[in-house]
Amino acid sequence: QVQLVESGGGLVQAGGSLRLSCAASGRTFSSYAMGWFRQAPGKEREFVAAISRSGGITYYTDSVKGRFTISRDNAKNTVYLQMNSLKPEDTAVYYCAVTSIATMRPSSDWGQGTQVTVSS
């Protein structure tokens, strides 16, 4: 069972940037595709981005394409989400998870998440 700890959230003005990190426990991190998800107040949790085991293939939901970049460092057991040109509608709690590339659905327990707040 992999354990995940997200960090890097904060308060930023619209147009700003943040870089989220997700540290994973365990020795088999490179065996998992990973993803980022987010949940805004009053809304369901939604898929944001995913990355293959090697990092060579990435996927994004349409609303973040061209603004967000997912990456991973398997030596550090860490996956990142670089978020640029942030918008108020990006405000949410962001979570990482082991992710099925076939379904873009999570297949691990959630971490505690990290809050991202974008002010207009």
Side-chain angles (χ1 to χ4, degrees), residues 56-69:
I57 303 174
T58 56
Y59 308 84
Y60 300 93
T61 192
D62 286 347
S63 63
V64 308
K65 284 180 180 177
R67 301 189 297 122
F68 291 11
T69 302

Side-chain angles (χ1 to χ4, degrees), residues 72-113:
R72 66 189 295 161
D73 185 337
N74 286 343
K76 296 182 178 180
N77 281 14
T78 302
V79 61
Y80 304 97
L81 186 68
Q82 177 67 44
M83 305 186 296
N84 298 329
S85 302
L86 282 160
K87 304 176 181 180
E89 52 263 44
D90 295 318
T91 295
V93 179
Y94 284 70
Y95 302 86
C96 65
V98 175
T99 300
S100 166
I101 294 299
T103 64
M104 296 306 169
R105 292 180 181 273
S107 56
S108 69
D109 292 338
W110 299 108
Q112 84 287 350

Side-chain angles (χ1 to χ4, degrees), residues 10-78:
L11 173 64
V12 63
Q13 289 187 334
S17 298
L18 284 173
R19 188 194 196 200
L20 306 183
S21 299
C22 170
S25 64
R27 299 180 179 179
T28 57
F29 177 74
S30 61
S31 299
Y32 305 127
M34 297 294 297
W36 283 97
F37 299 77
R38 66 186 179 186
Q39 187 167 20
K43 296 187 177 181
E44 292 187 354
R45 200 167 304 190
E46 65 174 355
F47 167 78
V48 175
I51 189 166
S52 62
R53 291 174 295 176
S54 67
I57 303 174
T58 56
Y59 308 84
Y60 300 93
T61 192
D62 286 347
S63 63
V64 308
K65 284 180 180 177
R67 301 189 297 122
F68 291 11
T69 302
I70 188 171
S71 62
R72 66 189 295 161
D73 185 337
N74 286 343
K76 296 182 178 180
N77 281 14
T78 302

